[in-house]
Amino acid sequence: MNSPNSCEQHLFLQPFWDYILTEFGDIVSSPFFPVLLAFSGYLCFSFPFAIIDILGERCPLLYQYKIQKNKFPTVKMMILCIWKAVYNHVIYVFPAVFLNWLWIPPGPLPQNAPTVCTLLGEVLGCLLLFDFQYFVWHVLHHKNHWLYKKVHAVHHKYVAPFSWSSQNLGGYELMTVGFWSSMNPIRLGCHPLTSWTCNLLSVWMSVDDHIGYNFPWSLSKIVPWGLYGGVIAHDLHHQKPDTNFAPFFGHWDLICGTSCV
Ligand SMILES: [Zn+2]
Ligand SMILES: [Zn+2]
């Protein structure tokens, strides 16, 4: 039986969940919805920083926070990254999602919303799990020369990252990352709202890692004790590839002695 507090939390998200099911039930039931959500997130989160990059020194208010000053992406570099992301989705991601849908048809969406505490706990748990999985994968693909050359080198094409370059990935790397970020919440039995929130947050944090600007409101500055690596850590990873392997949080690099900030 739910405690009164947990009922209140249920009620908090229930109207929103009811609205989603009533108005967008067909759309959110589609197996392609999480992919389209993540890809739309990539475009929306990256676009404002492309404008900031194009403005460059003409906007000193923002330019002062550029990490690698005087290293700006060209429009051609931006288009190449977007093209790579579209290509990877058409050739790898959409066919994989379609085959998965044929193999394991999804069940109906739940009628009840999660509690706020459940949602936040599940999201944090899934992000921490993803962070660990990618940390191990990332170390392996840097330490093994063959794996680096064949798989991960694509992502290191740019020493000075920019927002669109977060998805400058080989097909295998994107599939691996996409598999973890989409399947972790499902395998752990999380609510669909958790899965979608995780998808969007992962994309946002990944874009944030690559924007190339260390703004005062960056998460890495807000979260204390170096627990969140964020943009400054990942920008350094592109400059010194033997450091800062974790994608989001800072604890694994601190524990393993690979942290550099
Ligand atoms: Zn990167
Ligand atoms: Zn790397």
Side-chain angles (χ1 to χ4, degrees):
M1 189 178 165
N2 289 335
S3 68
N5 192 28
S6 124
C7 283
E8 275 169 31
Q9 289 181 8
H10 254 299
L11 288 174
F12 187 76
L13 287 174
Q14 195 62 50
F16 173 67
W17 184 240
D18 289 340
Y19 175 75
I20 296 279
L21 290 181
T22 310
E23 298 296 325
F24 306 103
D26 289 340
I27 297 171
V28 298
S29 299
S30 163
F32 296 104
F33 173 70
V35 179
L36 290 172
L37 183 72
F39 192 74
S40 312
Y42 165 66
L43 296 178
C44 295
F45 298 145
S46 301
F47 184 74
F49 298 103
I51 302 293
I52 294 172
D53 276 332
I54 289 168
L55 286 173
E57 292 175 76
R58 284 171 286 181
C59 183
L61 188 68
L62 299 174
Y63 174 74
Q64 62 179 311
Y65 301 114
K66 180 99 172 107
I67 299 169
Q68 299 187 55
K69 290 196 161 50
N70 302 317
K71 283 195 177 172
F72 286 101
T74 61
V75 172
K76 187 184 171 190
M77 285 156 67
M78 296 181 188
I79 291 170
L80 281 175
C81 285
I82 299 167
W83 167 245
K84 187 142 202 70
V86 171
Y87 176 88
N88 281 338
H89 278 78
V90 171
I91 301 296
Y92 300 106
V93 179
F94 282 111
V97 170
F98 181 67
L99 289 175
N100 186 59
W101 173 71
L102 285 180
W103 189 30
I104 314 170
L109 292 169
Q111 292 300 309
N112 288 333
T115 65
V116 173
C117 282
T118 302
L119 180 84
L120 294 178
E122 286 180 348
V123 166
L124 182 63
C126 289
L127 289 176
L128 284 167
L129 177 60
F130 175 87
D131 192 72
F132 171 68
Q133 289 166 321
Y134 190 77
F135 175 80
V136 174
W137 186 97
H138 202 182
V139 170
L140 188 68
H141 284 71
H142 271 277
K143 299 298 177 193
N144 183 298
H145 183 67
W146 185 85
L147 285 175
Y148 179 79
K149 218 174 133 193
K150 294 287 178 191
V151 179
H152 189 53
V154 176
H155 184 61
H156 280 272
K157 181 178 176 184
Y158 303 111
V159 176
F162 50 98
S163 59
W164 300 111
S165 68
S166 68
Q167 291 212 9
N168 184 48
L169 305 170
Y172 165 62
E173 182 166 353
L174 180 66
M175 291 289 285
T176 309
V177 169
F179 178 79
W180 286 329
S181 61
S182 60
M183 293 309 286
N184 282 348
I186 295 171
R187 290 274 156 85
L188 293 171
C190 299
H191 194 277
L193 216 47
T194 302
S195 303
W196 305 334
T197 309
C198 270
N199 270 358
L200 268 186
L201 268 179
S202 303
V203 172
W204 172 63
M205 288 155 88
S206 179
V207 169
D208 182 66
D209 272 359
H210 292 86
I211 57 175
Y213 293 82
N214 191 18
F215 294 120
W217 54 85
S218 292
L219 265 183
S220 51
K221 286 193 174 167
I222 296 168
V223 180
W225 308 309
L227 288 175
Y228 189 81
V231 62
I232 194 73
H234 197 71
D235 203 281
L236 272 167
H237 172 70
H238 279 258
Q239 298 174 62
K240 301 175 184 173
D242 271 344
T243 61
N244 299 338
F245 294 106
F248 305 142
F249 302 101
H251 56 287
W252 287 113
D253 281 303
L254 286 170
I255 292 167
C256 297
T258 49
S259 177
C260 173
V261 284

